[in-house]
Amino acid sequence: MTASAPLPPQDAARVRADLARRALPLLDLTDLSDACTTAAVEELCEKARASGVAAVCVWPRFVADSVRGLRGSGVRVATVVNFPEGGEAVERTVAETQATLADGADEIDLVLPYRALMRGDAESARAMVEAVRAACGVRLLKVILETGELEDPDLIAQASRLSLEAGADFIKTSTGKTAVSATLPAAEIMLDAIRAHGGDWPVGLKVSGGLRRVEDAAAYLALADRMMGPDWVSPNTFRLGASALHAELVRVELPRAGEAAR
């Protein structure tokens, strides 16, 4: 069996542009850098408005600024709690969640107490998710599993099931703050748990950490299409959490001068 011939340059460019157009509306445009400033968040919101991403994801202290910067755009505001340590202080995390919701956050990205799970204490992990789920009400809850730290496929599967059973709307791969972030094998395990979960409403996957190229996004989209069907991916079921990826998607999506007329 012979290998497929490479696409001609023009066709390859068109394929990458189509992938970029598909990926941009799925993006959670993120700035969780330690040096983030109000000015940086204002710039982030301008980029989000211009490119039609799903959401911005910022530190809790920047939620109110982001809400003002995105008003009327349709772009949602996500923030992080229990981040990045994934501790077990339920009351503190619930209070943090309530404060960010009061500031106008649409979505909460909660770090699962993954170390508790690793030492066999699944109930502490479950209690955190259930408490934050209750605090979120109708707002979207994404649970960050920190799959690079869990590492063991059985633990990743357990964390996925536990989070979904406790009320997560999305399960998310990583904080982006550890040595190993998103991987295709971990995403496959998580999608398998989503497929098996069922339930009365759709649940989704957020891939986050280390996504920088169009090809990175394409690999996870192909995995989701293969496992969940070609019509499953939408902003309600699939997100890409990234900062550097945004510039590459915008660059690839926009045609070079003269291309549109060809």
Side-chain angles (χ1 to χ4, degrees), residues 88-107:
E88 297 167 42
V90 174
E91 290 185 8
R92 185 186 69 190
T93 305
V94 167
E96 186 180 20
T97 300
Q98 291 170 333
T100 62
L101 294 174
D103 283 343
D106 301 298
E107 304 178 1

Side-chain angles (χ1 to χ4, degrees), residues 1-261:
M1 187 173 182
T2 58
S4 299
L7 290 171
Q10 286 185 334
D11 289 345
R14 191 175 302 113
V15 168
R16 295 182 87 241
D18 288 344
L19 281 166
R21 278 189 286 273
R22 187 184 184 197
L24 265 172
L26 307 171
L27 195 67
D28 283 6
L29 181 57
T30 301
D31 191 340
L32 295 171
S33 62
D34 294 336
C36 187
T37 63
T38 300
V41 168
E42 289 173 355
E43 183 179 353
L44 193 79
C45 290
E46 289 174 8
K47 291 178 180 177
R49 294 181 73 103
S51 52
V53 301
V56 299
C57 187
V58 296
W59 292 107
R61 63 184 179 275
F62 296 120
V63 166
D65 293 330
S66 300
V67 170
R68 285 190 293 271
L70 292 169
R71 186 168 288 123
S73 68
V75 178
R76 298 168 68 83
V77 176
T79 193
V80 290
V81 297
N82 203 30
F83 187 96
E85 67 278 0
E88 297 167 42
V90 174
E91 290 185 8
R92 185 186 69 190
T93 305
V94 167
E96 186 180 20
T97 300
Q98 291 170 333
T100 62
L101 294 174
D103 283 343
D106 301 298
E107 304 178 1
I108 298 294
D109 288 26
L110 162 73
V111 183
L112 183 76
Y114 60 91
R115 293 184 189 87
L117 198 63
M118 292 169 73
R119 67 172 187 265
D121 184 6
E123 288 313 305
S124 290
R126 184 184 299 274
M128 175 68 79
V129 179
E130 289 177 343
V132 175
R133 169 76 274 166
C136 284
V138 299
R139 311 286 181 91
L140 201 73
L141 173 62
K142 310 187 200 93
V143 178
I144 306 171
L145 308 187
E146 203 66 287
T147 55
E149 294 295 294
L150 290 176
E151 194 174 7
D152 184 325
D154 289 339
L155 275 178
I156 295 170
Q158 182 185 8
S160 300
R161 291 191 301 269
L162 180 155
S163 298
L164 294 170
E165 290 165 2
D169 297 300
F170 275 72
I171 46 177
K172 175 177 170 181
T173 56
S174 326
T175 62
K177 301 289 187 180
T178 56
V180 177
S181 292
T183 66
L184 285 164
E188 184 167 358
I189 293 167
M190 295 165 73
L191 284 169
D192 192 53
I194 289 168
R195 187 168 56 185
H197 176 67
D200 296 329
W201 64 90
V203 292
L205 172 70
K206 179 173 174 179
V207 180
S208 181
L211 304 179
R212 294 180 175 83
R213 304 174 304 138
V214 174
E215 289 76 12
D216 296 332
Y220 288 99
L221 285 166
L223 176 67
D225 288 345
R226 175 174 65 80
M227 293 188 65
M228 309 300 287
D231 299 324
W232 181 78
V233 168
S234 79
N236 294 325
T237 55
F238 189 89
R239 300 282 184 90
L240 298 165
S243 52
L245 178 62
H246 175 265
E248 179 69 359
L249 292 176
V250 170
R251 183 188 69 79
V252 170
E253 182 199 28
L254 295 175
R256 292 186 294 272
E259 261 192 0

